[in-house]
Amino acid sequence: MKRREFMTLLGGAAAWPLAARAQQMGNLPTIGFLGASTPSAWVQWTAAFLQRLRQLGWTEGRTVSIEYRWAEGHSERYADITAEFVRLNVDVIVTVGSAVPAAKQVTSTIPIVFAIAVDPLGSGMVASLARPGGNATGISVQSTELAGKRLEILREALPDLNRLAIIGDVNYSGSVLEISQVQAAARKFGIDIAVLEIRRAADIAPAFQALKSGAQALYVCPGALVNANYARINTFAMGARLPAFHANRDFLGGGGFMSYGSNYADQFRHAADFVDKILKGTKPADLPVEQPTKFELVINLTTVKALGLAIPETFLLRADEVIE
């Protein structure tokens, strides 16, 4: 779907009673959409969210207003954007897990829906998955729980793997936790780990330059900073001849090798269901955090060929999608 199309895809749907009343008062319910990355990086996810809103009867500009703000991978912007949403008196904030702690420090009353969160319980976003409490709820990607599974999959694809590099934003608690989970799993398999710590985009190039030879693959921990710079990370990985393993197929562009995880577009689509319920009066504290039930294995065969990797045929047959 083209960007121009998704920004105008909402139209002609019947208004829900709440929205109709708000329109009569000249004050539409407002969604604050806090994008952790850039509009272009989120184009598919935003489109999925808007499409589901339309199906639920919310028409942008007619029955609901949406304020878009983009942090462009800079976590220090989360608080300022949330403060702006508070001044705008938005009815609900839609974002991802990396922005939730900062947003919750700014407001404890405006509902927050996270479409993607690495570990909402462990990072303190919610009191429990079944009863979140507070003002935040949404969808967990179970990324830390999948760390061991991802490493097993990587070993199946690369049977001789004995040294792995990991890159992640160490200012993001979710990435720090996932790095530790990968390290724990690697110890069981006898795999040596080299951690590339980044805190800003400018750290990416030096991190690869400092990487000692011998690494056979790169495990990429998802997060706002990494997601905003995935193509750059893939380019450096290709230059170092490291197959890059991602959490989501949306990050395989620019030379990514393989991904295993949930479908982020589906999660943004489902986030619209949370927003719909909240705009109709349900409290976020009463909406359980949900977890994906389907995980996709995607292999970029172009990268496989470019790096001259010998992937077992049986492994390729297991993939949910092979990009050629």
Side-chain angles (χ1 to χ4, degrees):
M1 183 177 294
K2 296 180 180 177
R3 198 170 309 147
R4 181 178 299 174
E5 292 174 346
F6 90 72
M7 292 303 292
T8 59
L9 63 83
L10 302 181
W16 289 104
L18 171 64
R21 289 196 299 271
Q23 190 172 13
Q24 290 173 2
M25 297 169 59
N27 183 26
L28 298 180
T30 303
I31 299 169
F33 193 92
L34 197 173
S37 185
T38 62
S40 59
W42 276 37
V43 61
Q44 295 183 35
W45 306 346
T46 311
F49 175 75
L50 293 175
Q51 185 179 49
R52 180 58 180 158
L53 276 183
R54 179 187 179 185
Q55 293 172 346
L56 293 167
W58 297 100
T59 305
E60 185 177 4
R62 297 186 52 159
T63 61
V64 68
S65 174
I66 304 179
E67 293 285 344
Y68 299 92
R69 299 294 185 272
W70 303 94
E72 299 180 336
H74 298 282
S75 59
E76 64 273 15
R77 297 181 184 174
Y78 295 152
D80 289 340
I81 292 174
T82 304
E84 183 179 0
F85 286 156
V86 171
R87 291 192 294 272
L88 291 171
N89 197 29
V90 303
D91 296 279
V92 60
I93 296 171
V94 176
T95 189
V96 288
S98 61
V100 172
K104 283 174 65 70
Q105 286 186 350
V106 176
T107 177
S108 60
T109 56
I110 297 177
I112 300 170
V113 174
F114 47 84
I116 303 170
V118 171
D119 184 22
L121 183 59
S123 57
M125 297 180 206
V126 297
S128 75
L129 298 182
R131 300 283 295 181
N135 63 323
T137 187
I139 307 154
S140 169
V141 294
Q142 299 176 257
S143 195
T144 55
E145 298 175 29
L146 288 174
K149 178 64 175 178
R150 289 188 177 122
L151 194 54
E152 288 182 16
I153 289 172
L154 190 54
R155 289 180 69 245
E156 290 180 47
L158 305 173
D160 296 329
L161 179 68
N162 55 46
R163 183 168 176 78
L164 177 69
I166 307 174
I167 189 167
D169 176 9
V170 292
N171 277 344
Y172 174 39
S173 62
S175 291
V176 173
L177 181 57
E178 185 163 359
I179 289 171
S180 68
Q181 295 288 337
V182 175
Q183 289 174 318
R187 283 193 291 270
K188 296 179 182 179
F189 296 127
I191 297 174
D192 293 329
I193 295 292
V195 179
L196 309 185
E197 298 185 356
I198 60 173
R199 295 172 175 81
R200 52 186 182 145
D203 295 336
I204 296 173
F208 276 94
Q209 292 168 0
L211 180 63
K212 296 179 182 179
S213 61
Q216 298 161 288
L218 177 70
Y219 185 110
V220 185
C221 293
L225 174 60
V226 166
N227 298 353
N229 293 277
Y230 74 86
R232 191 177 183 197
I233 290 172
N234 287 343
T235 298
F236 278 109
M238 286 290 287
R241 301 196 64 75
L242 292 175
F245 189 105
H246 289 270
N248 185 272
R249 61 107 50 223
D250 296 335
F251 304 137
L252 295 182
F257 162 52
M258 183 169 61
S259 68
Y260 181 75
S262 56
N263 186 304
Y264 285 1
D266 283 347
Q267 293 190 203
F268 270 87
R269 191 174 292 110
H270 191 33
D273 293 297
F274 282 80
V275 170
D276 174 62
K277 292 174 182 176
I278 288 171
L279 291 180
K280 292 176 181 175
T282 304
K283 295 179 180 179
D286 298 327
L287 290 173
V289 173
E290 297 189 19
Q291 298 174 306
T293 56
K294 180 182 178 181
F295 301 96
E296 301 173 338
L297 174 62
V298 182
I299 302 171
N300 188 340
L301 200 58
T302 301
T303 299
V304 170
K305 293 176 180 178
L307 293 177
L309 301 174
I311 306 299
E313 183 67 25
T314 53
F315 183 82
L316 289 173
L317 293 174
R318 286 180 47 201
D320 295 286
E321 181 184 356
V322 176
I323 301 172
E324 300 190 49

PDB file of all heavy atoms in Angstrom, residues 163-167 192-197 203-219 236-237 239-242:
ATOM      1  N   ARG A 163      30.503 -18.559  17.196  1.00  0.00           N
ATOM      2  CA  ARG A 163      30.767 -17.201  17.679  1.00  0.00           C
ATOM      3  C   ARG A 163      29.712 -16.261  17.095  1.00  0.00           C
ATOM      4  O   ARG A 163      29.572 -16.155  15.872  1.00  0.00           O
ATOM      5  CB  ARG A 163      32.174 -16.741  17.303  1.00  0.00           C
ATOM      6  CG  ARG A 163      32.507 -15.349  17.873  1.00  0.00           C
ATOM      7  CD  ARG A 163      33.984 -15.022  17.758  1.00  0.00           C
ATOM      8  NE  ARG A 163      34.277 -13.674  18.207  1.00  0.00           N
ATOM      9  CZ  ARG A 163      34.379 -13.277  19.475  1.00  0.00           C
ATOM     10  NH1 ARG A 163      34.183 -14.164  20.433  1.00  0.00           N
ATOM     11  NH2 ARG A 163      34.650 -12.028  19.794  1.00  0.00           N
ATOM     12  N   LEU A 164      29.000 -15.590  17.976  1.00  0.00           N
ATOM     13  CA  LEU A 164      27.881 -14.749  17.581  1.00  0.00           C
ATOM     14  C   LEU A 164      28.061 -13.328  18.095  1.00  0.00           C
ATOM     15  O   LEU A 164      28.430 -13.113  19.253  1.00  0.00           O
ATOM     16  CB  LEU A 164      26.584 -15.339  18.145  1.00  0.00           C
ATOM     17  CG  LEU A 164      25.282 -14.566  17.906  1.00  0.00           C
ATOM     18  CD1 LEU A 164      24.898 -14.616  16.431  1.00  0.00           C
ATOM     19  CD2 LEU A 164      24.155 -15.140  18.770  1.00  0.00           C
ATOM     20  N   ALA A 165      27.780 -12.355  17.243  1.00  0.00           N
ATOM     21  CA  ALA A 165      27.757 -10.950  17.654  1.00  0.00           C
ATOM     22  C   ALA A 165      26.303 -10.544  17.898  1.00  0.00           C
ATOM     23  O   ALA A 165      25.400 -11.000  17.208  1.00  0.00           O
ATOM     24  CB  ALA A 165      28.386 -10.069  16.578  1.00  0.00           C
ATOM     25  N   ILE A 166      26.083  -9.693  18.905  1.00  0.00           N
ATOM     26  CA  ILE A 166      24.749  -9.177  19.215  1.00  0.00           C
ATOM     27  C   ILE A 166      24.822  -7.658  19.208  1.00  0.00           C
ATOM     28  O   ILE A 166      25.731  -7.076  19.811  1.00  0.00           O
ATOM     29  CB  ILE A 166      24.263  -9.630  20.602  1.00  0.00           C
ATOM     30  CG1 ILE A 166      24.355 -11.140  20.769  1.00  0.00           C
ATOM     31  CG2 ILE A 166      22.839  -9.158  20.855  1.00  0.00           C
ATOM     32  CD1 ILE A 166      24.013 -11.610  22.175  1.00  0.00           C
ATOM     33  N   ILE A 167      23.864  -7.014  18.546  1.00  0.00           N
ATOM     34  CA  ILE A 167      23.800  -5.561  18.570  1.00  0.00           C
ATOM     35  C   ILE A 167      22.474  -5.129  19.181  1.00  0.00           C
ATOM     36  O   ILE A 167      21.424  -5.697  18.873  1.00  0.00           O
ATOM     37  CB  ILE A 167      23.993  -4.950  17.161  1.00  0.00           C
ATOM     38  CG1 ILE A 167      24.135  -3.428  17.257  1.00  0.00           C
ATOM     39  CG2 ILE A 167      22.857  -5.330  16.215  1.00  0.00           C
ATOM     40  CD1 ILE A 167      24.633  -2.787  15.953  1.00  0.00           C
ATOM     41  N   ASP A 192      30.366 -18.480  21.757  1.00  0.00           N
ATOM     42  CA  ASP A 192      30.973 -17.257  22.279  1.00  0.00           C
ATOM     43  C   ASP A 192      30.178 -16.044  21.791  1.00  0.00           C
ATOM     44  O   ASP A 192      29.711 -16.016  20.643  1.00  0.00           O
ATOM     45  CB  ASP A 192      32.426 -17.133  21.834  1.00  0.00           C
ATOM     46  CG  ASP A 192      33.316 -18.201  22.456  1.00  0.00           C
ATOM     47  OD1 ASP A 192      33.013 -18.622  23.590  1.00  0.00           O
ATOM     48  OD2 ASP A 192      34.298 -18.611  21.808  1.00  0.00           O
ATOM     49  N   ILE A 193      30.054 -15.041  22.655  1.00  0.00           N
ATOM     50  CA  ILE A 193      29.250 -13.866  22.338  1.00  0.00           C
ATOM     51  C   ILE A 193      30.104 -12.595  22.351  1.00  0.00           C
ATOM     52  O   ILE A 193      30.938 -12.404  23.236  1.00  0.00           O
ATOM     53  CB  ILE A 193      28.103 -13.698  23.355  1.00  0.00           C
ATOM     54  CG1 ILE A 193      27.114 -14.859  23.256  1.00  0.00           C
ATOM     55  CG2 ILE A 193      27.387 -12.370  23.161  1.00  0.00           C
ATOM     56  CD1 ILE A 193      26.326 -14.899  21.975  1.00  0.00           C
ATOM     57  N   ALA A 194      29.876 -11.740  21.361  1.00  0.00           N
ATOM     58  CA  ALA A 194      30.473 -10.407  21.335  1.00  0.00           C
ATOM     59  C   ALA A 194      29.318  -9.404  21.247  1.00  0.00           C
ATOM     60  O   ALA A 194      28.519  -9.467  20.317  1.00  0.00           O
ATOM     61  CB  ALA A 194      31.412 -10.238  20.137  1.00  0.00           C
ATOM     62  N   VAL A 195      29.197  -8.520  22.230  1.00  0.00           N
ATOM     63  CA  VAL A 195      28.088  -7.569  22.274  1.00  0.00           C
ATOM     64  C   VAL A 195      28.506  -6.221  21.701  1.00  0.00           C
ATOM     65  O   VAL A 195      29.512  -5.638  22.129  1.00  0.00           O
ATOM     66  CB  VAL A 195      27.584  -7.376  23.718  1.00  0.00           C
ATOM     67  CG1 VAL A 195      26.432  -6.367  23.752  1.00  0.00           C
ATOM     68  CG2 VAL A 195      27.137  -8.709  24.316  1.00  0.00           C
ATOM     69  N   LEU A 196      27.757  -5.756  20.711  1.00  0.00           N
ATOM     70  CA  LEU A 196      27.971  -4.433  20.132  1.00  0.00           C
ATOM     71  C   LEU A 196      26.977  -3.476  20.796  1.00  0.00           C
ATOM     72  O   LEU A 196      25.785  -3.503  20.481  1.00  0.00           O
ATOM     73  CB  LEU A 196      27.755  -4.454  18.617  1.00  0.00           C
ATOM     74  CG  LEU A 196      28.489  -5.532  17.807  1.00  0.00           C
ATOM     75  CD1 LEU A 196      28.263  -5.316  16.323  1.00  0.00           C
ATOM     76  CD2 LEU A 196      29.981  -5.530  18.132  1.00  0.00           C
ATOM     77  N   GLU A 197      27.453  -2.672  21.721  1.00  0.00           N
ATOM     78  CA  GLU A 197      26.579  -1.762  22.457  1.00  0.00           C
ATOM     79  C   GLU A 197      26.422  -0.448  21.699  1.00  0.00           C
ATOM     80  O   GLU A 197      27.407   0.178  21.324  1.00  0.00           O
ATOM     81  CB  GLU A 197      27.146  -1.481  23.852  1.00  0.00           C
ATOM     82  CG  GLU A 197      27.251  -2.707  24.735  1.00  0.00           C
ATOM     83  CD  GLU A 197      27.705  -2.361  26.145  1.00  0.00           C
ATOM     84  OE1 GLU A 197      27.999  -1.168  26.402  1.00  0.00           O
ATOM     85  OE2 GLU A 197      27.766  -3.273  26.990  1.00  0.00           O
ATOM     86  N   ASP A 203      26.741   5.472  16.930  1.00  0.00           N
ATOM     87  CA  ASP A 203      27.547   4.391  17.511  1.00  0.00           C
ATOM     88  C   ASP A 203      27.609   3.156  16.621  1.00  0.00           C
ATOM     89  O   ASP A 203      28.428   2.260  16.871  1.00  0.00           O
ATOM     90  CB  ASP A 203      26.956   3.965  18.872  1.00  0.00           C
ATOM     91  CG  ASP A 203      27.028   5.061  19.914  1.00  0.00           C
ATOM     92  OD1 ASP A 203      27.890   5.947  19.785  1.00  0.00           O
ATOM     93  OD2 ASP A 203      26.213   5.025  20.863  1.00  0.00           O
ATOM     94  N   ILE A 204      26.761   3.087  15.610  1.00  0.00           N
ATOM     95  CA  ILE A 204      26.666   1.862  14.812  1.00  0.00           C
ATOM     96  C   ILE A 204      27.957   1.566  14.058  1.00  0.00           C
ATOM     97  O   ILE A 204      28.497   0.457  14.137  1.00  0.00           O
ATOM     98  CB  ILE A 204      25.474   1.944  13.838  1.00  0.00           C
ATOM     99  CG1 ILE A 204      24.159   2.009  14.632  1.00  0.00           C
ATOM    100  CG2 ILE A 204      25.467   0.729  12.898  1.00  0.00           C
ATOM    101  CD1 ILE A 204      22.928   2.252  13.776  1.00  0.00           C
ATOM    102  N   ALA A 205      28.467   2.538  13.324  1.00  0.00           N
ATOM    103  CA  ALA A 205      29.697   2.319  12.548  1.00  0.00           C
ATOM    104  C   ALA A 205      30.875   1.949  13.443  1.00  0.00           C
ATOM    105  O   ALA A 205      31.577   0.957  13.172  1.00  0.00           O
ATOM    106  CB  ALA A 205      30.006   3.549  11.693  1.00  0.00           C
ATOM    107  N   PRO A 206      31.156   2.713  14.514  1.00  0.00           N
ATOM    108  CA  PRO A 206      32.272   2.337  15.396  1.00  0.00           C
ATOM    109  C   PRO A 206      32.105   0.961  16.027  1.00  0.00           C
ATOM    110  O   PRO A 206      33.093   0.258  16.254  1.00  0.00           O
ATOM    111  CB  PRO A 206      32.251   3.440  16.465  1.00  0.00           C
ATOM    112  CG  PRO A 206      31.590   4.603  15.815  1.00  0.00           C
ATOM    113  CD  PRO A 206      30.558   4.000  14.917  1.00  0.00           C
ATOM    114  N   ALA A 207      30.848   0.562  16.311  1.00  0.00           N
ATOM    115  CA  ALA A 207      30.619  -0.751  16.908  1.00  0.00           C
ATOM    116  C   ALA A 207      31.067  -1.860  15.969  1.00  0.00           C
ATOM    117  O   ALA A 207      31.712  -2.828  16.398  1.00  0.00           O
ATOM    118  CB  ALA A 207      29.132  -0.918  17.256  1.00  0.00           C
ATOM    119  N   PHE A 208      30.762  -1.718  14.687  1.00  0.00           N
ATOM    120  CA  PHE A 208      31.200  -2.727  13.715  1.00  0.00           C
ATOM    121  C   PHE A 208      32.710  -2.674  13.506  1.00  0.00           C
ATOM    122  O   PHE A 208      33.359  -3.705  13.337  1.00  0.00           O
ATOM    123  CB  PHE A 208      30.476  -2.525  12.382  1.00  0.00           C
ATOM    124  CG  PHE A 208      29.119  -3.170  12.333  1.00  0.00           C
ATOM    125  CD1 PHE A 208      27.977  -2.445  12.657  1.00  0.00           C
ATOM    126  CD2 PHE A 208      28.982  -4.502  11.972  1.00  0.00           C
ATOM    127  CE1 PHE A 208      26.724  -3.038  12.615  1.00  0.00           C
ATOM    128  CE2 PHE A 208      27.733  -5.099  11.927  1.00  0.00           C
ATOM    129  CZ  PHE A 208      26.592  -4.369  12.252  1.00  0.00           C
ATOM    130  N   GLN A 209      33.278  -1.479  13.534  1.00  0.00           N
ATOM    131  CA  GLN A 209      34.713  -1.335  13.363  1.00  0.00           C
ATOM    132  C   GLN A 209      35.489  -1.990  14.510  1.00  0.00           C
ATOM    133  O   GLN A 209      36.585  -2.512  14.322  1.00  0.00           O
ATOM    134  CB  GLN A 209      35.083   0.146  13.264  1.00  0.00           C
ATOM    135  CG  GLN A 209      34.584   0.812  11.991  1.00  0.00           C
ATOM    136  CD  GLN A 209      34.685   2.323  12.023  1.00  0.00           C
ATOM    137  OE1 GLN A 209      35.138   2.913  13.010  1.00  0.00           O
ATOM    138  NE2 GLN A 209      34.259   2.970  10.945  1.00  0.00           N
ATOM    139  N   ALA A 210      34.887  -1.952  15.706  1.00  0.00           N
ATOM    140  CA  ALA A 210      35.551  -2.525  16.878  1.00  0.00           C
ATOM    141  C   ALA A 210      35.355  -4.038  16.984  1.00  0.00           C
ATOM    142  O   ALA A 210      36.026  -4.692  17.789  1.00  0.00           O
ATOM    143  CB  ALA A 210      35.025  -1.858  18.154  1.00  0.00           C
ATOM    144  N   LEU A 211      34.448  -4.578  16.179  1.00  0.00           N
ATOM    145  CA  LEU A 211      34.173  -6.012  16.232  1.00  0.00           C
ATOM    146  C   LEU A 211      35.369  -6.807  15.727  1.00  0.00           C
ATOM    147  O   LEU A 211      35.835  -6.615  14.608  1.00  0.00           O
ATOM    148  CB  LEU A 211      32.937  -6.345  15.385  1.00  0.00           C
ATOM    149  CG  LEU A 211      32.517  -7.821  15.332  1.00  0.00           C
ATOM    150  CD1 LEU A 211      32.127  -8.321  16.724  1.00  0.00           C
ATOM    151  CD2 LEU A 211      31.368  -8.012  14.346  1.00  0.00           C
ATOM    152  N   LYS A 212      35.851  -7.689  16.579  1.00  0.00           N
ATOM    153  CA  LYS A 212      36.990  -8.513  16.203  1.00  0.00           C
ATOM    154  C   LYS A 212      36.544  -9.587  15.210  1.00  0.00           C
ATOM    155  O   LYS A 212      35.398 -10.002  15.187  1.00  0.00           O
ATOM    156  CB  LYS A 212      37.605  -9.157  17.443  1.00  0.00           C
ATOM    157  CG  LYS A 212      38.182  -8.152  18.429  1.00  0.00           C
ATOM    158  CD  LYS A 212      38.753  -8.855  19.651  1.00  0.00           C
ATOM    159  CE  LYS A 212      39.295  -7.845  20.653  1.00  0.00           C
ATOM    160  NZ  LYS A 212      39.837  -8.517  21.859  1.00  0.00           N
ATOM    161  N   SER A 213      37.454 -10.029  14.399  1.00  0.00           N
ATOM    162  CA  SER A 213      37.140 -11.057  13.409  1.00  0.00           C
ATOM    163  C   SER A 213      36.790 -12.366  14.113  1.00  0.00           C
ATOM    164  O   SER A 213      37.190 -12.615  15.245  1.00  0.00           O
ATOM    165  CB  SER A 213      38.336 -11.274  12.472  1.00  0.00           C
ATOM    166  OG  SER A 213      39.469 -11.703  13.217  1.00  0.00           O
ATOM    167  N   GLY A 214      36.026 -13.162  13.432  1.00  0.00           N
ATOM    168  CA  GLY A 214      35.664 -14.465  13.975  1.00  0.00           C
ATOM    169  C   GLY A 214      34.174 -14.647  14.157  1.00  0.00           C
ATOM    170  O   GLY A 214      33.690 -15.778  14.206  1.00  0.00           O
ATOM    171  N   ALA A 215      33.420 -13.550  14.280  1.00  0.00           N
ATOM    172  CA  ALA A 215      31.963 -13.669  14.416  1.00  0.00           C
ATOM    173  C   ALA A 215      31.382 -14.248  13.131  1.00  0.00           C
ATOM    174  O   ALA A 215      31.818 -13.920  12.029  1.00  0.00           O
ATOM    175  CB  ALA A 215      31.348 -12.314  14.710  1.00  0.00           C
ATOM    176  N   GLN A 216      30.400 -15.118  13.276  1.00  0.00           N
ATOM    177  CA  GLN A 216      29.815 -15.802  12.113  1.00  0.00           C
ATOM    178  C   GLN A 216      28.401 -15.343  11.795  1.00  0.00           C
ATOM    179  O   GLN A 216      27.867 -15.679  10.736  1.00  0.00           O
ATOM    180  CB  GLN A 216      29.815 -17.312  12.372  1.00  0.00           C
ATOM    181  CG  GLN A 216      31.209 -17.902  12.547  1.00  0.00           C
ATOM    182  CD  GLN A 216      31.154 -19.249  13.235  1.00  0.00           C
ATOM    183  OE1 GLN A 216      30.890 -19.329  14.432  1.00  0.00           O
ATOM    184  NE2 GLN A 216      31.388 -20.305  12.480  1.00  0.00           N
ATOM    185  N   ALA A 217      27.780 -14.601  12.706  1.00  0.00           N
ATOM    186  CA  ALA A 217      26.419 -14.101  12.489  1.00  0.00           C
ATOM    187  C   ALA A 217      26.170 -12.944  13.436  1.00  0.00           C
ATOM    188  O   ALA A 217      26.911 -12.737  14.406  1.00  0.00           O
ATOM    189  CB  ALA A 217      25.387 -15.210  12.696  1.00  0.00           C
ATOM    190  N   LEU A 218      25.104 -12.200  13.154  1.00  0.00           N
ATOM    191  CA  LEU A 218      24.736 -11.043  13.978  1.00  0.00           C
ATOM    192  C   LEU A 218      23.298 -11.190  14.432  1.00  0.00           C
ATOM    193  O   LEU A 218      22.384 -11.312  13.612  1.00  0.00           O
ATOM    194  CB  LEU A 218      24.894  -9.747  13.181  1.00  0.00           C
ATOM    195  CG  LEU A 218      24.482  -8.453  13.901  1.00  0.00           C
ATOM    196  CD1 LEU A 218      25.469  -8.132  15.027  1.00  0.00           C
ATOM    197  CD2 LEU A 218      24.397  -7.286  12.914  1.00  0.00           C
ATOM    198  N   TYR A 219      23.076 -11.154  15.734  1.00  0.00           N
ATOM    199  CA  TYR A 219      21.740 -11.181  16.324  1.00  0.00           C
ATOM    200  C   TYR A 219      21.355  -9.735  16.599  1.00  0.00           C
ATOM    201  O   TYR A 219      22.031  -9.040  17.364  1.00  0.00           O
ATOM    202  CB  TYR A 219      21.763 -12.001  17.611  1.00  0.00           C
ATOM    203  CG  TYR A 219      20.407 -12.212  18.267  1.00  0.00           C
ATOM    204  CD1 TYR A 219      19.809 -13.467  18.273  1.00  0.00           C
ATOM    205  CD2 TYR A 219      19.745 -11.165  18.907  1.00  0.00           C
ATOM    206  CE1 TYR A 219      18.580 -13.676  18.895  1.00  0.00           C
ATOM    207  CE2 TYR A 219      18.525 -11.363  19.522  1.00  0.00           C
ATOM    208  CZ  TYR A 219      17.948 -12.618  19.516  1.00  0.00           C
ATOM    209  OH  TYR A 219      16.730 -12.818  20.126  1.00  0.00           O
ATOM    210  N   PHE A 236      26.105  -2.665   7.116  1.00  0.00           N
ATOM    211  CA  PHE A 236      27.375  -2.933   7.803  1.00  0.00           C
ATOM    212  C   PHE A 236      27.576  -4.434   7.996  1.00  0.00           C
ATOM    213  O   PHE A 236      28.700  -4.939   7.877  1.00  0.00           O
ATOM    214  CB  PHE A 236      27.422  -2.223   9.155  1.00  0.00           C
ATOM    215  CG  PHE A 236      27.822  -0.780   9.080  1.00  0.00           C
ATOM    216  CD1 PHE A 236      26.905   0.226   9.311  1.00  0.00           C
ATOM    217  CD2 PHE A 236      29.132  -0.420   8.773  1.00  0.00           C
ATOM    218  CE1 PHE A 236      27.272   1.560   9.242  1.00  0.00           C
ATOM    219  CE2 PHE A 236      29.517   0.909   8.700  1.00  0.00           C
ATOM    220  CZ  PHE A 236      28.577   1.912   8.934  1.00  0.00           C
ATOM    221  N   ALA A 237      26.494  -5.139   8.310  1.00  0.00           N
ATOM    222  CA  ALA A 237      26.597  -6.585   8.493  1.00  0.00           C
ATOM    223  C   ALA A 237      27.019  -7.267   7.194  1.00  0.00           C
ATOM    224  O   ALA A 237      27.876  -8.162   7.196  1.00  0.00           O
ATOM    225  CB  ALA A 237      25.264  -7.153   8.986  1.00  0.00           C
ATOM    226  N   GLY A 239      28.719  -5.896   4.830  1.00  0.00           N
ATOM    227  CA  GLY A 239      30.119  -5.536   4.615  1.00  0.00           C
ATOM    228  C   GLY A 239      31.069  -6.396   5.419  1.00  0.00           C
ATOM    229  O   GLY A 239      32.188  -6.689   4.980  1.00  0.00           O
ATOM    230  N   ALA A 240      30.609  -6.802   6.611  1.00  0.00           N
ATOM    231  CA  ALA A 240      31.415  -7.661   7.465  1.00  0.00           C
ATOM    232  C   ALA A 240      31.149  -9.142   7.192  1.00  0.00           C
ATOM    233  O   ALA A 240      31.697 -10.006   7.883  1.00  0.00           O
ATOM    234  CB  ALA A 240      31.126  -7.355   8.933  1.00  0.00           C
ATOM    235  N   ARG A 241      30.303  -9.405   6.192  1.00  0.00           N
ATOM    236  CA  ARG A 241      29.907 -10.753   5.813  1.00  0.00           C
ATOM    237  C   ARG A 241      29.293 -11.514   6.996  1.00  0.00           C
ATOM    238  O   ARG A 241      29.591 -12.695   7.233  1.00  0.00           O
ATOM    239  CB  ARG A 241      31.080 -11.534   5.200  1.00  0.00           C
ATOM    240  CG  ARG A 241      31.657 -10.856   3.952  1.00  0.00           C
ATOM    241  CD  ARG A 241      32.518 -11.795   3.138  1.00  0.00           C
ATOM    242  NE  ARG A 241      31.774 -12.926   2.577  1.00  0.00           N
ATOM    243  CZ  ARG A 241      30.945 -12.838   1.535  1.00  0.00           C
ATOM    244  NH1 ARG A 241      30.744 -11.682   0.928  1.00  0.00           N
ATOM    245  NH2 ARG A 241      30.312 -13.926   1.108  1.00  0.00           N
ATOM    246  N   LEU A 242      28.403 -10.812   7.705  1.00  0.00           N
ATOM    247  CA  LEU A 242      27.685 -11.398   8.836  1.00  0.00           C
ATOM    248  C   LEU A 242      26.202 -11.520   8.496  1.00  0.00           C
ATOM    249  O   LEU A 242      25.540 -10.507   8.267  1.00  0.00           O
ATOM    250  CB  LEU A 242      27.833 -10.518  10.085  1.00  0.00           C
ATOM    251  CG  LEU A 242      29.205 -10.409  10.731  1.00  0.00           C
ATOM    252  CD1 LEU A 242      29.154  -9.397  11.865  1.00  0.00           C
ATOM    253  CD2 LEU A 242      29.660 -11.767  11.251  1.00  0.00           C
TER     254      LEU A 242
END
